[in-house]
Amino acid sequence: EPEVTQTPSHQVTQMGQEVILRCVPISNHLYFYWYRQILGQKVEFLVSFYNNEISEKSEIFDDQFSVERPDGSNFTLKIRSTKLEDSAMYFCASSEDNKTNVNTEAFFGQGTRLTVV
Amino acid sequence: DAKTTQPPSMDCAEGRAANLPCNHSTISGNEYVYWYRQIHSQGPQYIIHGLKNNETNEMASLIITEDRKSSTLILPHATLRDTAVYYCIVRVALRSQGNLIFGKGTKLSVKP
């Protein structure tokens, strides 16, 4: 069964450093997303990406965040200058663009645990 | 997107049906009911969705009341692996289904 893969599974970084979280969405999917979940809290939407541009973003997704699809397979989330409060599990998701059925499910990866020290 | 209300936790005996309720009294006519679950901090997993008719797939059944103000997710024969947080989400169906707003969900504990 196709799946969304994320690397690394765990990343530790020092405050102020830049981090890049990587995701390989399912190959025929066209919509890509990042979510995060701070320990013990809700899963929060960050950003959606379609046709090489951001289609929607939440208030959390401020100027220190950026996303990119550098090639035909990877989808990345960059945090420019990490803060302690960026420590969370980050989930990538993807969904297909099925023109005959608007109800396409989102598939989530297993997440990258980011720890900022 | 309409707000949903779910009990914070439920228990279920292994092998029995798990019935997880969700209230969405402000749901609009063009909003669907989706269910996802999250097993121990893994990525959320899609279960099922529906508009007004009852739906069934290999994982679960979704029963939506006639007025659409509430719904019930049914896991017909719960196993220990079904222990997870279950999220009921109401949203307008668009081509991109990924912009999901998660609440706190119901923590289902399946016990031997």
Side-chain angles (χ1 to χ4, degrees):
Chain A
E1 183 176 319
E3 60 180 14
V4 176
T5 57
Q6 292 185 242
T7 56
S9 57
H10 190 186
Q11 172 117 28
V12 181
T13 188
Q14 287 199 324
M15 189 170 53
Q17 295 296 305
E18 173 184 285
V19 294
I20 297 176
L21 309 183
R22 304 181 190 280
C23 169
V24 178
I26 294 173
S27 61
N28 63 335
H29 286 186
L30 299 177
Y31 289 88
F32 314 113
Y33 317 89
W34 284 100
Y35 289 78
R36 78 171 186 189
Q37 186 174 32
I38 295 170
L39 186 63
Q41 298 188 23
K42 296 184 290 186
V43 177
E44 301 173 292
F45 168 74
L46 292 177
V47 65
S48 59
F49 191 86
Y50 173 73
N51 199 24
N52 284 321
E53 62 182 19
I54 291 173
S55 52
E56 188 172 345
K57 61 182 180 179
S58 72
E59 293 178 351
I60 302 168
F61 194 87
D62 60 22
D63 291 344
Q64 72 159 344
F65 290 94
S66 62
V67 289
E68 191 178 31
R69 188 155 163 81
D71 52 41
S73 60
N74 290 287
F75 180 53
T76 62
L77 174 69
K78 181 192 289 186
I79 309 175
R80 287 189 184 82
S81 178
T82 51
K83 303 189 285 273
L84 294 177
E85 53 264 38
D86 292 327
S87 294
M89 183 75 91
Y90 288 81
F91 294 109
C92 173
S94 69
S95 61
E96 62 180 349
D97 181 15
N98 185 337
K99 291 178 173 56
T100 63
N101 180 0
V102 298
N103 298 312
T104 56
E105 64 192 82
F107 290 82
F108 284 77
Q110 291 306 294
T112 293
R113 181 170 298 283
L114 177 65
T115 303
V116 182
V117 296
Chain B
D1 296 326
K3 185 178 177 180
T4 63
T5 303
Q6 299 178 252
S9 64
M10 292 182 64
D11 289 343
C12 177
E14 187 180 17
R16 305 297 293 268
N19 298 286
L20 292 97
C22 179
N23 285 320
H24 32 79
S25 59
T26 60
I27 192 170
S28 300
N30 62 346
E31 288 182 314
Y32 286 66
V33 181
Y34 296 95
W35 284 83
Y36 279 77
R37 73 180 182 183
Q38 188 176 25
I39 298 173
H40 192 56
S41 296
Q42 296 179 19
Q45 178 189 23
Y46 167 82
I47 302 173
I48 200 168
H49 74 276
L51 180 62
K52 52 185 177 181
N53 298 322
N54 298 337
E55 303 288 343
T56 295
N57 62 20
E58 65 278 4
M59 289 183 69
S61 295
L62 174 60
I63 308 299
I64 303 174
T65 58
E66 193 168 340
D67 63 8
R68 303 207 323 123
K69 293 185 177 182
S70 65
S71 60
T72 302
L73 178 75
I74 301 172
L75 307 178
H77 305 288
T79 70
L80 298 178
R81 289 175 297 179
D82 292 322
T83 292
V85 179
Y86 287 77
Y87 300 100
C88 170
I89 301 170
V90 169
R91 66 184 304 277
V92 176
L94 301 172
R95 282 187 177 180
S96 100
Q97 193 188 82
N99 300 26
L100 300 162
I101 307 299
F102 289 84
K104 294 183 179 180
T106 295
K107 184 172 184 179
L108 175 68
S109 298
V110 181
K111 300 182 183 299

